[in-house]
């Protein structure tokens, strides 16, 4: 069951992306956080215990909504807008070198 639900229609074109290999449809202008929580109950699991996380500050100041692009780069889900054909992972990829473009 999704954590969020849309309460108003949003203008803009539909954007297709994947989250952990699953297709997700968002609207142009949606954040990655909104797109994930419109299709899932949580954004990711905490690395140090596995608890479900859904974002905390929602303004890019904390570390709670980090997700990964398929290329291994990290991004903040709350302050990154969705892009067509974006491929996102909610757990770190199994590649040894992670790139952080938001640091």
């Amino acid at each position: 069951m999704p954590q969020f639900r849309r309460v108003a229609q949003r203008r803009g074109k539909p954007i297709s992306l994947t989250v952990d290999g699953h297709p997700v449809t968002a609207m142009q202008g949606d954040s990655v956080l909104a797109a994930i929580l419109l299709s899932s109950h949580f954004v990711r699991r905490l690395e140090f215990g596995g608890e479900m996380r859904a974002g905390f500050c929602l303004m890019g100041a904390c570390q709670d909504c980090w997700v990964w692009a398929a290329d291994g780069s990290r991004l903040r889900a709350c302050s990154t807008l969705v892009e067509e054909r974006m491929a996102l992972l909610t757990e770190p990829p199994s590649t040894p070198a992670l790139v952080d473009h938001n640091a």
Side-chain angles (χ1 to χ4, degrees):
M1 173 177 213
Q3 180 80 350
F4 286 179
R5 69 180 177 95
R6 246 183 241 287
V7 295
Q9 283 292 65
R10 184 175 183 115
R11 294 179 191 246
K13 69 175 192 159
I15 303 288
S16 297
L17 58 142
T18 62
V19 177
D20 295 331
H22 302 285
V24 170
T25 301
M27 297 300 292
Q28 184 177 15
D30 282 351
S31 68
V32 168
L33 182 76
I36 293 173
L37 291 179
L38 282 164
S39 65
S40 178
H41 189 65
F42 61 97
V43 174
R44 67 184 190 97
R45 292 195 179 272
L46 187 64
E47 300 92 332
F48 308 107
E51 293 88 4
M52 293 182 286
R53 307 306 297 169
F56 180 71
C57 74
L58 306 180
M59 62 183 200
C62 73
Q63 306 291 315
D64 209 47
C65 69
W66 284 119
V67 294
W68 293 263
D71 68 2
S73 60
R74 262 190 344 171
L75 53 97
R76 292 181 193 270
C78 70
S79 59
T80 304
L81 297 180
V82 294
E83 296 177 11
E84 189 66 41
R85 294 186 303 274
M86 194 176 236
L88 301 169
L89 304 169
T90 60
E91 295 184 9
S94 56
T95 56
L98 295 178
V99 178
D100 182 355
H101 293 291
N102 293 307

